[in-house]
Amino acid sequence: MSFTRISFAALAASAIMAVAAQAETLRLSHNVGDTTTWQQGAERFGELLAEKTGGDFDVRVFPNAQLSGGDQMKQAEMVGRGALDLVVTSAINVTPLVPEMAVFSLPYMYENYEQVDATTQGDAVKPLEDILLEKGIKVLAWGENGFRELTNNTKPVTSPADMAGMNVRVAGPMYIDVMNALGANPQQMQWSETLTALQQGVVDGQENPIGAVIIPQQVYEMQKYITTWHYSYDPLFLGISKERWDDMDAETQAQFQEAATEAMQYQREISREGTAEGVDFLKEQGMEVYEPTPEELAAFREATQPAFDTWAEKVGPDLVKSFQDAVASVQ
């Protein structure tokens, strides 16, 4: 190679290093593993942000709530006080900080994605975004964890009676009341501890979305039965520290907003695709899949009504009604 070519190569390398050195690194934390749609959505946000800002920002993604010591409930609080830049987390994980976030996951609030989108992509979420902003978190966009389905290693679950005495891992306080209403023994624990608990038989089962968690986290290797009861829905949101957001000029804020909106749209799409293909995949992996009839779903809905009523009161009747009105608008 000639001296001229070496010089040009050196200059090019120097230019790349200079751009990299100028990029501001942001830390983004999320709850689950690096094979999930959570990770894919977070990485997509980083790619889009770098593209839209000309490389001014570099997003480092930390899965499994690493930056909060494995405590998935703590991440939002850390973003709120500026200790973390960004978070992708599910609504149910923020309920200790903002109880109103449980509105999404009230048992049998939704039947389909159209009803979900009428709330998460509409005006119904605005009061929640306002509350989170007061807590120091600016919501940039809503993604999807999905409809939560029950897996277990004990027996097929076809009715509330089948839940009696079953030890089920749950993610948050509302699900404790739901499982108690069904006669199960809820065990609240961090997701980082759950796979080991399933492997060791500490808990009999767990409930999570197929496309976002059950398949990418290979829950099917530890659980034999799944009931696709769609009993609860859980959205994700991509949030940024209000402190950092307020430090940005309007142009940069717009770039962050665009990147987040596009990334979470992508995340919802791949999550739903994974869910649509997931039941057949789980059958191929040896899981016994039970899809309840409308009459059986009605029995589960009736059994969980006390938990719905309790949490609707905690969430706030006006907020619950606004969600129910949005759902009814697309029925």
Side-chain angles (χ1 to χ4, degrees):
M1 182 181 289
S2 69
F3 176 77
T4 302
R5 288 182 178 175
I6 292 173
S7 297
F8 276 127
L11 286 170
S14 297
I16 292 170
M17 290 175 65
V19 170
Q22 291 172 1
E24 182 177 356
T25 299
L26 303 176
R27 298 182 303 163
L28 186 155
S29 179
H30 72 80
N31 303 5
V32 292
D34 60 7
T35 60
T36 61
T37 65
W38 299 47
Q39 177 84 11
Q40 291 172 275
E43 290 176 344
R44 184 64 177 147
F45 170 71
E47 294 165 1
L48 288 165
L49 186 63
E51 176 185 308
K52 292 177 186 297
T53 62
D56 288 345
F57 292 92
D58 173 47
V59 177
R60 289 192 63 195
V61 180
F62 295 85
N64 293 315
Q66 295 173 32
L67 300 181
S68 58
D71 189 340
Q72 60 199 51
M73 303 287 185
K74 192 177 178 183
Q75 295 171 110
E77 179 267 330
M78 290 177 69
V79 172
R81 57 184 169 85
L84 278 177
D85 302 307
L86 296 149
V87 66
V88 171
T89 191
S90 71
I92 201 66
N93 284 294
V94 189
T95 53
L97 182 66
V98 181
E100 293 89 344
M101 292 289 277
V103 66
F104 296 103
S105 303
L106 290 170
Y108 297 101
M109 169 67 79
Y110 303 106
E111 294 180 4
N112 54 54
Y113 292 129
E114 290 76 21
Q115 293 174 355
V116 166
D117 291 344
T119 58
T120 63
Q121 309 305 313
D123 291 336
V125 295
K126 302 305 179 189
L128 296 169
E129 292 176 352
D130 291 342
I131 295 170
L132 283 164
L133 195 61
E134 292 173 1
K135 300 290 185 181
I137 305 165
K138 164 67 177 175
V139 176
L140 294 173
W142 294 88
E144 179 160 284
N145 197 22
F147 284 104
R148 303 179 75 95
E149 317 294 14
L150 177 73
T151 70
N152 82 93
N153 229 5
T154 305
K155 59 185 174 183
V157 172
T158 66
S159 71
D162 294 327
M163 299 288 294
M166 186 178 291
N167 294 316
V168 182
R169 178 267 177 183
V170 296
M174 188 195 73
Y175 292 128
I176 293 176
D177 289 347
V178 172
M179 289 299 162
N180 281 331
L182 289 166
N185 297 323
Q187 308 290 324
Q188 185 173 344
M189 65 177 64
Q190 303 294 331
W191 180 251
S192 58
E193 303 168 351
T194 301
L195 296 178
T196 300
L198 292 172
Q199 289 172 329
Q200 296 177 349
V202 174
V203 292
D204 301 313
Q206 63 85 52
E207 43 75 59
N208 255 306
I210 290 174
V213 177
I214 291 173
I215 290 177
Q217 297 279 265
Q218 299 176 314
V219 174
Y220 54 83
E221 293 185 351
M222 306 156 212
Q223 301 271 268
K224 182 173 178 59
Y225 305 99
I226 182 168
T227 299
T228 56
W229 59 352
H230 286 23
Y231 90 116
S232 181
Y233 178 83
D234 194 21
L236 305 181
F237 70 85
L238 170 54
I240 186 170
S241 163
K242 180 180 182 296
E243 180 180 311
R244 182 170 285 278
W245 177 257
D246 288 344
D247 284 341
M248 298 176 188
D249 59 34
E251 181 182 2
T252 305
Q253 287 180 344
Q255 292 165 338
F256 268 73
Q257 184 64 71
E258 289 172 9
T261 299
E262 292 176 29
M264 288 296 97
Q265 179 178 346
Y266 165 75
Q267 189 274 334
R268 291 196 307 276
E269 289 172 356
I270 59 174
S271 179
R272 291 177 185 183
E273 288 169 4
T275 297
E277 301 164 357
V279 170
D280 287 340
F281 175 82
L282 293 175
K283 289 177 180 177
E284 291 170 4
Q285 301 306 307
M287 287 197 86
E288 291 188 22
V289 179
Y290 189 79
E291 300 181 53
T293 66
E295 292 75 21
E296 289 166 338
L297 288 175
F300 283 118
R301 184 179 293 107
E302 181 180 357
T304 57
Q305 189 65 44
F308 184 106
D309 294 340
T310 296
W311 278 86
E313 192 63 33
K314 292 181 181 181
V315 164
D318 290 344
L319 181 60
V320 172
K321 186 177 186 306
S322 72
F323 268 62
Q324 291 174 323
D325 288 347
V327 166
S329 71
V330 294
Q331 285 183 334

